[in-house]
Amino acid sequence: MAAVGEAPKQIIIIGGGITGLSAAFYMRKLLDGQQMSAEITLIEKSSSLGGKIKTLRRDGFLIEQGPDSFMARKQPILDLTRELGLEPELVAANPKAKANYILHKGRLHQMPMGLMLGIPTEVTPFMKTGLGDAKALSLQATFPQFRQLEQRHRSLILGMLASKKQAREMPKELPEIARRSLFLTFKGGLGSLIERLDEQLCSIRRLTGQAVKEVRREGQRYRVRLEHGEELQADGVIMALPAYETAVLLEGSAGMQVQTQGSIQALRGIPYVSVANIALAFKPQDIKLPLSGFGFVVPRSEGRLITACTWTSSKWLHTAPNGHVLLRAYIGHAGAQAWAKLTDRELLDAVRQDLQAIMGIKAEPLFTELTRWERSMPQYPVGHLEQLARLREGLAASHPGLWLCGSGYEGVGLPDCIGQGRRAAEALLLFFKQ
C-alpha cells in the first residue's frame, strides 16, 4: 500500500494489442493484490483495441481477420481464459476433420498422420506418403519444422521421438477440452477475448487514435509525448509495440551505453513480413472437392500466390450457417512481398485463380473479405535471443522501470504474447517494490 501522502504510481502501457491488454490486465490484478495505489493509462494508435485479433460477424458467418485459433496446451492463454471466465466458451477443432494436405506438382497430397502441428512424431507414415522424391523437395521450405527438430535434438529421428513424448506429457491442470484438441478458439471468435479484456479494464484510462512520438527518461520518471502534443509523466512504462516502432522511440535516448544503442538498432533491423488473408463464402454445391480436413499448405516451389488455405467451416463447425462453406486463403511470406503492390481486385482475382487450379472452384463467391496486415510477422534473425538479453540488461541500467514485450521479442503466438504481457507486469511490480 502506498505511504500516506504518496502519490499513486503512474503507469503507461503503449500498445493495445493482446500483449498490451494482457499487461494491463495483470498489472491491475497485481497492484490490487498488493493494495498498491496506481493509475494505468493504455495508449493505442489505432481507433480500436485488439491489434491483429479481429472477428467479423457477417450474415451468420464468423470470420477471423487475424489469427483463427491458438495452441490448446499453452498455459498462458488457458490461465487468462480461466481468469476472464471464458472457459465455458472454448471450442475445439472438428475432430472428424483431421486430414491436412500439401500441394505438390499441382496436386493435393494428404500430409502424413505422423505430423502434429506440422511437426513429425512418427517416421514410417512420413516415409510412406506420395509426395515424390524427397531429394527434389526443399526440406526447409516445405517442412521447416524438420530442420528445427534436427538442430534441437541432434537428429531428425530423435526429434520425432521427443515430440511424441512431449505430446503425451500434458499438464494435469489442462481443461478437458484442451486434452482432446490441438487447437482451440471461442464460440464467439477470438474477438471474445478482446471484448472481455475490454470489460475488465473499464477502470483504466484509454487513449486511442493517438500514436506515441517520444519516450524519454527524465530523472526518476518518464515523459511520454503523444502525436497531438499531450505529454504524460510515468513511473513505469511497458512498450508492447512492434520492434521497429520501439526502436524509433528509444533511439537517441539519453544515458544509454553504446552497446545498448547497438541492440536497439538491431531491433530496427528485425525484418517483418506483410501478409494478407481473404475469406470466401460459397454454397456447398460450388465445391466438388471433399472438404475432409483443415485445409492445405502451398510450398514456394509451386509458384502460387497463396501460401495456404484453411477450410474454415470444416475445421470450425460454428463459423458458417447451415448450407454454406467458408474458406480462408493466406498470402505472403519472407522473400516474396511483391503482392503487396497489387490492388484488392488483383489480389482477389489471383486467389480465385489459385483456388480454381487447386480445388476446381469456378463459382462466384457469395462474398469475400480481404484483410491486409503490413509488416506484421517478425522474422527472428540468428542470435535474436542473445541480442534481446543484452538489450534488457542495458535498459535495466539506463532505463529502469521500462519493459519491452510483444511478438517481436519472445514468440508470435497468442499464448506467447499473453505470457510476455504478464511477465512485463510482474517485472514492473517488482521494480516498484525495490
Side-chain angles (χ1 to χ4, degrees), residues 18-20 22 52 67 71 74 76 240-243 267 270 272 376-381 384-385 388 392 404-421 423:
I18 186 62
T19 310
S22 298
K52 291 188 285 295
M71 292 177 64
K74 292 272 192 172
L241 298 170
L267 283 186
I270 295 174
Y272 275 69
S376 63
M377 295 296 292
Q379 310 293 297
Y380 302 140
H384 170 73
L385 291 179
L388 179 60
R392 290 203 193 285
L404 313 182
C405 53
S407 63
Y409 302 98
E410 296 170 284
V412 300
L414 298 185
D416 300 316
C417 291
I418 291 168
Q420 290 182 67
R423 291 194 295 275

Side-chain angles (χ1 to χ4, degrees), residues 57-329:
R57 302 169 179 96
R58 173 177 175 175
D59 302 334
F61 290 85
L62 194 68
I63 301 168
E64 297 290 7
Q65 297 177 288
D68 77 339
S69 59
F70 56 89
M71 292 177 64
R73 294 159 195 175
K74 292 272 192 172
Q75 205 62 48
I77 195 167
L78 293 176
D79 290 342
L80 181 60
T81 295
R82 189 178 298 113
E83 290 170 290
L84 292 174
L86 283 172
E87 198 167 333
E89 301 297 311
L90 288 173
V91 177
N94 179 11
K96 296 181 179 180
K98 294 182 177 179
N100 292 283
Y101 297 85
I102 183 170
L103 188 69
H104 179 56
K105 295 183 178 179
R107 295 180 55 194
L108 291 177
H109 297 260
Q110 186 170 339
M111 299 272 268
M113 295 303 293
L115 288 183
M116 180 176 293
L117 298 178
I119 296 177
T121 59
E122 297 180 21
V123 181
T124 304
F126 177 73
M127 298 305 293
K128 288 183 177 180
T129 58
L131 295 179
D133 183 0
K135 293 181 180 178
L137 287 174
S138 169
L139 193 64
Q140 188 137 3
T142 308
F143 297 107
Q145 297 90 343
F146 285 9
R147 179 61 174 160
Q148 295 167 7
L149 284 175
E150 184 182 40
Q151 290 177 326
R152 192 178 306 144
H153 299 283
R154 294 182 290 115
S155 81
L156 187 55
I157 293 177
L158 287 175
M160 289 179 177
L161 295 175
S163 294
K164 193 171 184 178
K165 180 181 179 182
Q166 289 171 5
R168 290 195 302 261
E169 297 174 350
M170 292 184 287
K172 293 182 179 180
E173 63 270 20
L174 280 179
E176 182 58 32
I177 193 171
R179 296 174 179 272
R180 302 194 313 266
S181 177
L182 293 175
F183 299 99
L184 296 175
T185 186
F186 300 100
K187 293 177 183 177
L190 291 176
S192 301
L193 189 63
I194 303 304
E195 292 161 5
R196 188 61 61 88
L197 279 168
D198 193 18
E199 293 171 4
Q200 292 291 314
L201 295 172
C202 60
S203 64
I204 74 169
R205 183 188 183 196
R206 297 98 172 281
L207 296 176
T208 57
Q210 291 197 62
V212 172
K213 305 303 291 185
E214 183 181 39
V215 176
R216 184 171 294 276
R217 176 83 170 166
E218 292 185 343
Q220 300 301 309
R221 307 190 79 201
Y222 290 92
R223 178 167 62 87
V224 176
R225 180 169 59 85
L226 307 183
E227 63 178 334
H228 300 317
E230 183 180 359
E231 292 190 354
L232 306 175
Q233 299 291 322
D235 301 288
V237 176
I238 295 175
M239 301 180 71
L241 298 170
Y244 54 87
E245 291 187 10
T246 298
V248 170
L249 291 177
L250 292 182
E251 280 177 342
S253 295
M256 284 189 185
Q257 297 179 352
V258 174
Q259 183 180 7
T260 306
Q261 286 285 2
S263 297
I264 289 176
Q265 290 171 7
L267 283 186
R268 183 195 279 268
I270 295 174
Y272 275 69
V273 172
S274 296
V275 296
N277 65 76
I278 298 180
L280 306 98
F282 294 96
K283 287 285 189 177
Q285 58 267 30
D286 296 334
I287 302 176
K288 307 303 181 186
L289 186 72
L291 302 182
S292 58
F294 285 3
F296 60 89
V297 295
V298 182
R300 299 182 193 183
S301 57
E302 292 296 309
R304 294 291 176 183
L305 177 71
I306 64 173
T307 59
C309 178
T310 299
W311 300 338
T312 304
S313 52
S314 175
K315 181 179 181 181
W316 305 106
L317 297 177
H318 66 290
T319 59
N322 290 334
H324 293 80
V325 173
L326 182 64
L327 308 179
R328 191 163 76 144

Side-chain angles (χ1 to χ4, degrees), residues 17-32:
I18 186 62
T19 310
L21 289 171
S22 298
F25 174 79
Y26 284 111
M27 192 80 256
R28 181 77 278 161
K29 184 176 181 177
L30 290 168
L31 289 167
D32 290 346

